Amino acid sequence: MNQDTDSDSESLSTDSTSSMSDSDDDRISDRISLTEKSEAAALLSTDNDDEEENEVVKSILDGKKLNRNHPPSIILEDMITDICFHPKVDTIGVASITGDIFLYTYNNEETNLVSTIESHLKACRDIEFSADGLSLFSVGKDLCIAITDVETKKLTRFYEKAHEQPIYTMTIINEHVFATGDDDGVVKLWDLRRKGSEPICSIKKVEDYISAMITNREAKYLACASGDGCLTTLNIPERKMHVQSEEYDEELTCLGLFKMESKLLLTTSKGKMYIYNWGEFGLHSDEFPNITKKAINCMIPITENVAITGGEDGILRATSLFPHQHLGIVGQHDFSVETLDISNNGTLIASSSHNNDIKFWNVQYFETLNVNQTIKGGKKKQLVHNLPSSQIKNQSDFFAEM
């Protein structure tokens, strides 16, 4: 599958086209559509007097070569703290360190900023759309929780000083209840049916930040990962702690559900992965050794058996859980990958890095990928094996085309 090979070619195309008038651009496009590549190359060589036009022709040719199957990158001026796809339409929310939330529409040709929501005075750390897509939940370093109407962009609920310490993460449990976790290890449950700004439950069982929270459709248990290395599970209906795992000597970073929500995957700051049977949270049932010893900062399930992780080395990797096997590289950033999310139809993932950029990757090929096919060469080959969405080709693929 042909992919973008250089993000610079995107910027070249945008910059060059924007400098031309609409009529000039249409004229060039018509000429390209009537010629083959050889004729376009001849056009480049003969029209030496119009260097600007040549650049546009070259950009259009480059664009045709790319056969884009994913949106172009989004670049912000400020650090990106979280991203979240809308569950119904082709829109992605982007949270920033300034506290603003940006809504972009996207398709394979372009991304467009359509709204800016100013809900927080300090960094907005986590955003999540409601299941119906009508509301956007956000939490921040300013101790506040904001719920915004997606259509009108107006606040429908605002919890001021919801925590005593900055809120690190949140998760929506059902249409009425959601949970938040802060830098001090406090977890709070909130019920939208309750008037006022008081939580229905507040529990503190760890001494470090709550890094991730997750529940399943049954919504009986809320699993909480923390920076002090404990997996703490709360009983939601009873509003009390259920069980706490053994303490790991590393920070717990991400949580994900697999195998029809029967398996819980836990990742760490040392690049390890642990699997729990859902409902049995005292001790993990399986442990996967790390492949790079680099921190796993973010993780999302792609299928019932495959997870994609983003690490501090800037690499997105795919891993099969059963059987356990590293499948290869999904994509690359220049700096540490901080956030990941998957689109409403499951064909795209988006990732952001410390470079203030969001990249999109088409992962539709996972529908037919054979996870049982072993990559020849062992773990060393797995480390550098590029999957179809990667911007870089494998050396063996290159020579196979010659």
Side-chain angles (χ1 to χ4, degrees):
M1 188 176 297
N2 294 327
Q3 300 291 330
D4 281 343
T5 56
D6 191 348
S7 59
D8 290 340
S9 64
E10 299 172 15
S11 60
L12 175 60
S13 177
T14 304
D15 295 342
S16 300
T17 305
S18 62
S19 65
M20 297 286 291
S21 68
D22 292 340
S23 59
D24 287 339
D25 193 30
D26 291 339
R27 179 167 54 87
I28 301 291
S29 298
D30 290 340
R31 292 167 69 181
I32 294 299
S33 63
L34 295 174
T35 59
E36 298 294 331
K37 287 185 178 180
S38 59
E39 294 173 324
L43 176 65
L44 285 174
S45 62
T46 56
D47 288 351
N48 294 325
D49 294 335
D50 195 344
E51 182 178 352
E52 189 175 30
E53 180 173 312
N54 287 346
E55 288 299 319
V56 176
V57 176
K58 183 178 182 298
S59 297
I60 294 172
L61 284 174
D62 289 343
K64 288 179 178 293
K65 292 177 185 178
L66 294 177
N67 293 326
R68 181 182 295 282
N69 65 354
H70 60 85
S73 298
I74 297 172
I75 299 178
L76 266 64
E77 294 181 359
D78 302 304
M79 181 181 292
I80 298 165
T81 50
D82 195 27
I83 57 177
C84 185
F85 279 101
H86 192 282
K88 303 292 184 180
V89 297
D90 292 342
T91 298
I92 187 170
V94 183
S96 74
I97 198 169
T98 63
D100 295 333
I101 302 170
F102 306 98
L103 298 182
Y104 286 84
T105 57
Y106 62 86
N107 55 48
N108 285 352
E109 303 302 323
E110 60 184 2
T111 57
N112 291 303
L113 176 64
V114 293
S115 300
T116 300
I117 302 171
E118 300 176 355
S119 299
H120 297 273
L121 298 177
K122 295 182 180 180
C124 177
R125 290 179 164 182
D126 199 353
I127 57 174
E128 189 170 344
F129 288 99
S130 59
D132 57 14
L134 299 178
S135 299
L136 178 64
F137 290 67
S138 60
V139 297
K141 192 176 180 180
D142 58 1
L143 316 180
C144 299
I145 304 168
I147 304 176
T148 305
D149 184 286
V150 174
E151 183 177 357
T152 65
K153 311 304 183 293
K154 294 181 179 180
L155 281 174
T156 58
R157 200 77 178 261
F158 189 75
Y159 298 82
E160 190 175 8
K161 296 183 179 179
H163 282 249
E164 294 182 0
Q165 297 297 323
I167 306 171
Y168 192 89
T169 188
M170 66 159 294
T171 190
I172 298 174
I173 295 173
N174 56 43
E175 60 179 323
H176 301 300
V177 181
F178 66 97
T180 53
D182 69 22
D183 285 356
D184 199 35
V186 175
V187 175
K188 293 187 178 185
L189 299 178
W190 307 83
D191 193 328
L192 295 172
R193 294 166 295 187
R194 173 177 285 195
K195 295 181 180 180
S197 300
E198 293 299 319
I200 59 174
C201 175
S202 180
I203 298 175
K204 177 178 169 59
K205 295 297 180 180
V206 295
E207 300 302 321
D208 210 335
Y209 70 102
I210 303 296
S211 57
M213 298 184 292
I214 199 169
T215 188
N216 63 0
R217 281 186 288 266
E218 186 183 5
K220 181 178 180 180
Y221 299 118
L222 178 68
C224 307
S226 66
D228 60 4
C230 288
L231 178 66
T232 304
T233 310
L234 309 181
N235 186 308
I236 298 173
E238 297 181 7
R239 303 175 189 177
K240 65 180 184 180
M241 189 181 85
H242 172 61
V243 70
Q244 195 169 60
S245 74
E246 65 176 22
E247 186 174 334
Y248 300 94
D249 62 348
E250 51 205 305
E251 297 177 27
L252 308 185
T253 56
C254 312
L255 297 169
L257 292 175
F258 297 84
K259 292 291 184 181
M260 302 299 291
E261 299 187 339
S262 66
K263 301 292 183 179
L264 173 68
L265 180 64
L266 171 66
T267 64
T268 78
S269 60
K270 292 185 179 179
K272 292 183 180 179
M273 296 182 181
Y274 299 96
I275 285 187
Y276 284 79
N277 294 318
W278 186 261
E280 301 173 6
F281 305 108
L283 182 66
H284 61 265
S285 61
D286 205 352
E287 174 183 349
F288 300 154
N290 53 20
I291 189 170
T292 65
K293 297 183 179 180
K294 301 286 187 180
I296 295 175
N297 297 329
C298 46
M299 178 266 293
I300 49 171
I302 290 295
T303 70
E304 291 292 338
N305 187 48
V306 176
I308 290 182
T309 59
E312 65 179 9
D313 57 0
I315 303 298
L316 302 173
R317 289 188 168 86
T319 301
S320 166
L321 303 184
F322 307 100
H324 177 60
Q325 179 171 270
H326 297 289
L327 302 176
I329 296 173
V330 175
Q332 307 88 356
H333 283 266
D334 294 331
F335 296 97
S336 174
V337 182
E338 297 299 317
T339 62
L340 274 174
D341 200 23
I342 186 168
S343 64
N344 52 64
N345 61 8
T347 62
L348 293 173
I349 64 170
S351 56
S352 71
S353 78
H354 279 318
N355 208 25
N356 302 342
D357 61 338
I358 299 171
K359 292 185 178 183
F360 296 85
W361 316 90
N362 190 306
V363 292
Q364 196 168 6
Y365 59 87
F366 278 102
E367 294 177 2
T368 57
L369 186 70
N370 183 7
V371 298
N372 294 309
Q373 184 176 355
T374 303
I375 300 171
K376 295 180 180 180
K379 289 185 178 179
K380 287 186 177 180
K381 281 290 184 181
Q382 292 175 0
L383 270 173
V384 297
H385 179 70
N386 291 289
L387 293 167
S389 54
S390 174
Q391 295 178 344
I392 300 173
K393 277 197 171 185
N394 298 304
Q395 188 176 18
S396 58
D397 296 339
F398 174 79
F399 286 111
E401 295 176 358
M402 295 183 68

